[in-house]
Amino acid sequence: MTQLDERKLDPAIALASLDETAPREPHRLFALKHGDSFAVADAYGDIRGVGDGFFRDDTRVLSEFRLTVGGRSTSLLGASLSQDNVLFTTNLTNLPIESIGGRPIPQGAIHIERVRLIWQDRLYERLTLSNYSQEHSSLRLSLRFAADFRDMFEVRGSTRPKRGTARTAEIGKNTVMLRYEGLDKVERTSAISFSQVPDELTAERADFFIAVTKRSRKTLYVEVGTEIADAPERERFRAAAARARFGMRAKRRHGATLHSSGRVFNDWIERARADVALLTTELATGPYPYAGIPWFSTAFGRDGVISALQMLWLNPGLARGVLGFLAQHQATETSPFSDSQPGKIMHETRKGEMTALSELPFGRYYGGVDTTPLYVHLACAYADRTGDMESVDALWPSLCAAAEWIETASQPTGFVTYRRAAESGLANQGWKDSFDSVFHADGRIPKGPIALVEVQGYVFAAFQGLAKLARLRDETEKAEAWEKRAEEIRQRVESQFWIEELGYYALALDGDGEPCKVRTSNAGHLLYVGLPDPDRARIVADQLLSASFSSGWGLRTLADDAIFFNPMSYHNGSIWPHDTAICAAGLARYGIRDNVVRLMSGTFESAVHFNMRLPELFCGFTRAPGEAPIAYPVACLPQAWSAGSAFMLMQACLGLQIDGWTGEIQVTRPRLPIGIDNLVVRHLAVAGASVDLTFQRVGDRVGAFLADRHEGLVPLVVRS
């Protein structure tokens, strides 16, 4: 087993071995991001150097950043992120300490506010001390700092036989420059600058003797960047904050918005929208949602595609950016190390030292079996949403190359299969990529090549969509071939994956064609693409909604009677909000909309318990009265496809589709979330027009209508 596999089995293992006292509750950590830089700290604003830190280009450039007052840690009053995710603020107070002169200062006399932001690869912090006692106080404020310049994969648990060289720190009057030269001969720096000259300054600590008269305040500014800052001060901090907020506001303006009659529900929707905006990075090819913080703050193929699908009805521009980036990085050669083959779509890209040296294959890695058909499906769904044939034409060579790879990967079994080409790659290459996430009912790990059930569904959708686009391009021969291929896949899945005694689809077929007779949420993805016949879809839906899968908070990834079921595992019984949302969209496709409303309600209530932010995953324990959902120790938070789940679930409830070819809004048997009587979709772009669409509860029915005043004429078709 490789180290990578061990981390996928349980990402908590590597971190737990480093520091048992470290914070491991993601909903109690706070993340900031801009571009390819992000910071994760605890509620005190401290960085402790386990999974947290300030990272730039997949390298940790600040591994410790701790505040003490009077030689002691502080007492936490409260911490929060601004609604737009730009500013982190924590409010602290002193524990009982002594002044510099030895006079006791009681607890709660000094208020300390830390405000932090990231802008253009630079971390800005403002520290404000306010004295609410009746005495003048002189106290020691200390900041302890370090930069270990560890690659992200080292932070995640990988070990290296050799590292680069840490240079001697350069200490100035009010600055410290930390340097590291990697084995790749790239120098990485962390420059720490203070607004006032410390009374004592070393390579690892700055001490300030601060006199705070009664009822007064003192402010200190700190900056951490690649270069020494001009003296940090109030105007620099304010200017950076203003630019960061303006940039975030511009990102949040893209696409339609939702507003409901529920105040708390609106808070969730606004936080989800802000998280998608936070994780979206403007690349040369357009906006791209990075997967999640801290472990996956980079472009992932699968995550980017699914996030774009979740947001497609509201913001098709995100899909256009994802498609552009993935087309640009499509594989053109065969490489076992990177698992690439011509036409294959990228799984992951990284910028750190270890990938630059090819110690790991993830600099540009293609070991995702589902990313290529999902990419094609997104392109087809984008075309249906927008009618944008110009973009389709530009992507057409890439889409044809992807289709050719799918055909090649389907030989000789007729199904798209995977088997890693090198030991350094991922053993499992679907979205459940833990080493034990694919198994037989008796616990045997199947030998490859493996055909996952949901992947065949994505292939079915890809060929269906391509056939439609080919007809629009007057490429009749290709259209007919792809239509035939889609139907062949549908029939083969129905005949070879359906397990009559289970009344369910197998998780996978192994290299001998033996089905893995395990009930998983993967089958729900078949409903999403519309592959099963209605009778089987209803049987699958009934099981997904049973107590074996449905916890009350969401859908488990694995039925609770499976041999490897563990509600605390990464993939074998936990709850992934994006997975629940995809299954819910599948239920809605087959008209099972009332149950979608219940799934929406459970997901919303989970978000409330997680401070309005859905983590990457959480534990799959059955909901009990008065109890909250249980966090998974090292889940990413925020995570793009978890945030996007709110919008996929909402679309499934509303039964809303937009036909970009006819410029028509179609609403089928709409439902509103529990407790919501009114919902407005504002600035919905349809065929060049911008409309406001209102859903209103009237008795036990929900009506939909367009606002009287909108830009352009858009047909609305409502089916009850």
Side-chain angles (χ1 to χ4, degrees):
M1 186 190 305
T2 67
Q3 290 173 327
L4 184 65
D5 292 331
E6 290 168 358
R7 290 200 309 281
K8 283 296 183 181
L9 171 62
D10 187 347
I13 292 174
L15 297 187
S17 67
L18 295 177
D19 184 357
E20 288 298 334
T21 68
R24 291 182 190 65
E25 298 173 334
H27 56 294
R28 300 185 189 279
L29 298 175
F30 294 83
L32 297 170
K33 175 187 173 295
H34 183 256
D36 287 319
S37 295
F38 69 90
V40 177
D42 63 20
Y44 294 79
D46 285 343
I47 292 170
R48 299 173 56 177
V50 186
D52 52 356
F54 177 34
F55 294 81
R56 186 189 313 118
D57 292 335
D58 287 321
T59 299
R60 184 160 62 182
V61 295
L62 200 61
S63 53
E64 185 178 14
F65 197 54
R66 300 199 199 192
L67 172 71
T68 59
V69 176
R72 298 191 66 184
S73 60
T74 54
S75 176
L76 177 66
L77 300 175
S80 64
L81 287 169
S82 59
Q83 190 177 48
D84 59 8
N85 283 328
V86 170
L87 297 177
F88 163 74
T89 302
T90 183
N91 289 279
L92 312 162
T93 190
N94 65 292
L95 295 171
I97 57 175
E98 290 187 351
S99 70
I100 292 173
R103 182 182 60 80
I105 300 176
Q107 180 167 345
I110 309 296
H111 172 244
I112 306 107
E113 180 191 64
R114 299 178 79 174
V115 182
R116 180 180 297 160
L117 69 111
I118 295 175
W119 175 249
Q120 292 185 339
D121 295 332
R122 182 171 289 271
L123 184 147
Y124 295 79
E125 180 155 321
R126 183 184 69 204
L127 279 156
T128 304
L129 281 70
S130 301
N131 185 354
Y132 287 97
S133 74
Q134 299 302 309
E135 303 286 341
H136 298 327
S137 296
S138 295
L139 48 84
R140 177 193 296 263
L141 181 148
S142 299
L143 281 168
R144 189 174 185 86
F145 48 83
D148 62 7
F149 296 103
R150 291 192 177 273
D151 187 280
M152 171 58 76
F153 288 97
E154 290 183 273
V155 178
R156 289 173 60 184
S158 289
T159 56
R160 302 177 67 191
K162 187 178 179 182
R163 298 191 78 247
T165 303
R167 301 300 183 192
T168 302
E170 300 170 15
I171 302 173
K173 187 170 63 171
N174 63 329
T175 62
V176 176
M177 173 67 84
L178 306 175
R179 298 181 185 273
Y180 167 81
E181 184 177 337
L183 299 178
D184 57 357
K185 303 304 179 184
V186 173
E187 184 179 71
R188 294 165 173 88
T189 60
S190 192
I192 306 168
S193 309
F194 305 98
S195 59
Q196 70 182 64
V197 177
D199 291 272
E200 295 180 12
L201 182 61
T202 69
E204 57 189 25
R205 196 178 78 236
D207 293 336
F208 301 87
F209 303 154
I210 297 179
V212 189
T213 59
K214 62 181 181 180
R215 301 292 171 173
S216 71
R217 65 179 56 181
K218 290 291 179 68
T219 302
L220 173 69
Y221 294 92
V222 186
E223 294 183 21
V224 184
T226 56
E227 299 176 348
I228 296 295
D230 296 335
E233 41 89 24
R234 178 174 178 268
E235 290 308 314
R236 283 177 58 88
F237 183 91
R238 287 167 59 90
R243 288 192 293 267
R245 301 202 100 150
F246 180 82
M248 186 64 75
R249 195 177 306 122
K251 284 199 286 187
R252 294 178 69 187
R253 277 200 296 264
H254 293 312
T257 60
L258 303 177
H259 187 80
S260 80
S261 57
R263 181 180 60 81
V264 179
F265 189 83
N266 288 340
D267 289 344
W268 176 41
I269 293 297
E270 281 301 306
R271 174 59 71 189
R273 188 177 177 84
D275 282 353
V276 172
L278 174 71
L279 291 166
T280 298
T281 301
E282 289 294 332
L283 304 176
T285 48
Y288 200 103
Y290 282 8
I293 297 173
W295 312 121
F296 310 121
S297 187
T298 187
F300 275 75
R302 178 192 303 120
D303 298 65
V305 168
I306 290 177
S307 299
L309 285 166
Q310 292 170 329
M311 302 299 295
L312 182 59
W313 68 291
L314 295 168
N315 180 15
L318 192 61
R320 189 168 56 248
V322 168
L323 291 167
F325 180 83
L326 294 179
Q328 186 180 84
H329 294 87
Q330 188 171 27
T332 58
E333 61 183 13
T334 298
S335 167
F337 181 67
S338 63
D339 253 321
S340 67
Q341 290 140 3
K344 201 173 183 184
I345 296 299
M346 184 197 76
H347 169 68
E348 175 181 0
T349 183
R350 294 285 185 174
K351 296 180 178 179
E353 180 185 355
M354 292 179 72
T355 54
L357 293 166
S358 297
E359 294 177 23
L360 291 170
F362 304 114
R364 191 177 297 168
Y365 181 59
Y366 293 84
V369 70
D370 51 358
T371 310
T372 306
L374 277 170
Y375 162 76
V376 176
H377 172 56
L378 174 63
C380 300
Y382 169 79
D384 284 342
R385 167 64 177 86
T386 63
D388 178 8
M389 281 303 294
E390 183 178 348
S391 292
V392 170
D393 291 341
L395 288 168
W396 195 247
S398 170
L399 295 174
C400 290
E404 188 173 344
W405 176 85
I406 293 171
E407 292 285 20
T408 301
S410 300
Q411 297 171 357
T413 64
F415 295 120
V416 171
T417 61
Y418 69 86
R419 173 189 275 160
R420 64 178 170 189
E423 284 299 311
S424 57
L426 291 169
N428 281 318
Q429 298 189 356
W431 83 262
K432 297 176 182 177
D433 54 6
S434 301
F435 93 98
D436 64 345
S437 62
V438 181
F439 57 94
H440 285 288
D442 59 6
R444 286 179 295 125
I445 300 299
K447 69 176 184 178
I450 293 170
L452 291 169
V453 65
E454 79 276 14
V455 173
Q456 315 319 313
Y458 304 152
V459 171
F460 165 77
F463 281 128
Q464 269 199 332
L466 282 174
K468 181 176 181 179
L469 293 180
R471 288 201 179 278
L472 290 168
R473 289 172 51 85
D474 294 324
E475 297 187 28
T476 306
E477 187 176 340
K478 280 185 176 179
E480 290 175 350
W482 284 332
E483 285 168 350
K484 181 181 178 182
R485 187 75 175 92
E487 180 57 23
E488 287 174 352
I489 293 164
R490 190 191 69 77
Q491 291 180 10
R492 290 175 65 86
V493 170
E494 292 284 47
S495 65
Q496 296 188 47
F497 279 85
W498 181 257
I499 308 299
E500 194 62 45
E501 64 265 31
L502 291 180
Y504 208 76
Y505 292 95
L507 163 62
L509 302 181
D510 70 10
D512 294 326
E514 181 185 353
C516 298
K517 298 179 181 180
V518 181
R519 294 186 301 152
T520 65
S521 62
N522 302 51
H525 295 220
L526 291 185
L527 305 188
Y528 169 69
V529 298
L531 185 148
D533 70 48
D535 291 339
R536 284 186 176 174
R538 173 63 69 172
I539 294 170
V540 170
D542 287 345
Q543 295 205 46
L544 283 172
L545 295 166
S546 73
S548 288
F549 282 101
S550 185
S551 71
W553 301 116
L555 299 181
R556 300 184 184 98
T557 55
L558 179 66
D560 63 0
D561 60 355
I563 192 169
F564 284 167
F565 174 75
N566 179 352
M568 300 175 291
S569 70
Y570 197 50
H571 286 129
N572 288 335
S574 53
I575 296 166
W576 290 65
H578 88 279
D579 185 44
T580 295
I582 290 173
C583 292
L587 296 175
R589 182 168 190 145
Y590 287 88
I592 311 171
R593 214 171 299 282
D594 290 336
N595 294 102
V596 173
V597 172
R598 285 191 279 275
L599 288 174
M600 174 69 136
S601 178
T603 303
F604 165 56
E605 289 160 5
S606 299
V608 170
H609 284 287
F610 288 118
N611 297 321
M612 296 303 170
R613 234 183 194 171
L614 287 170
E616 175 189 16
L617 73 154
F618 51 96
C619 293
F621 292 106
T622 300
R623 184 172 182 171
E627 294 185 3
I630 298 172
Y632 184 79
V634 290
C636 284
L637 189 70
Q639 181 88 353
W641 64 13
S642 290
S645 297
F647 305 102
M648 181 173 265
L649 284 163
M650 180 60 75
Q651 183 183 17
C653 284
L654 298 178
L656 186 152
Q657 295 291 332
I658 298 166
D659 189 330
W661 308 113
T662 63
E664 183 179 270
I665 301 173
Q666 301 167 356
V667 176
T668 304
R669 296 178 59 209
R671 300 288 187 273
L672 283 170
I674 295 170
I676 302 300
D677 294 321
N678 173 275
L679 183 136
V680 181
V681 185
R682 295 179 176 146
H683 310 300
L684 188 64
V686 185
S690 176
V691 302
D692 292 351
L693 179 60
T694 298
F695 293 84
Q696 181 69 49
R697 193 185 302 278
V698 182
D700 60 352
R701 299 175 66 86
V702 174
F705 56 89
L706 293 171
D708 291 335
R709 299 176 64 183
H710 58 268
E711 301 173 15
L713 297 175
V714 175
L716 171 63
V717 179
V718 182
R719 302 181 181 92
S720 59

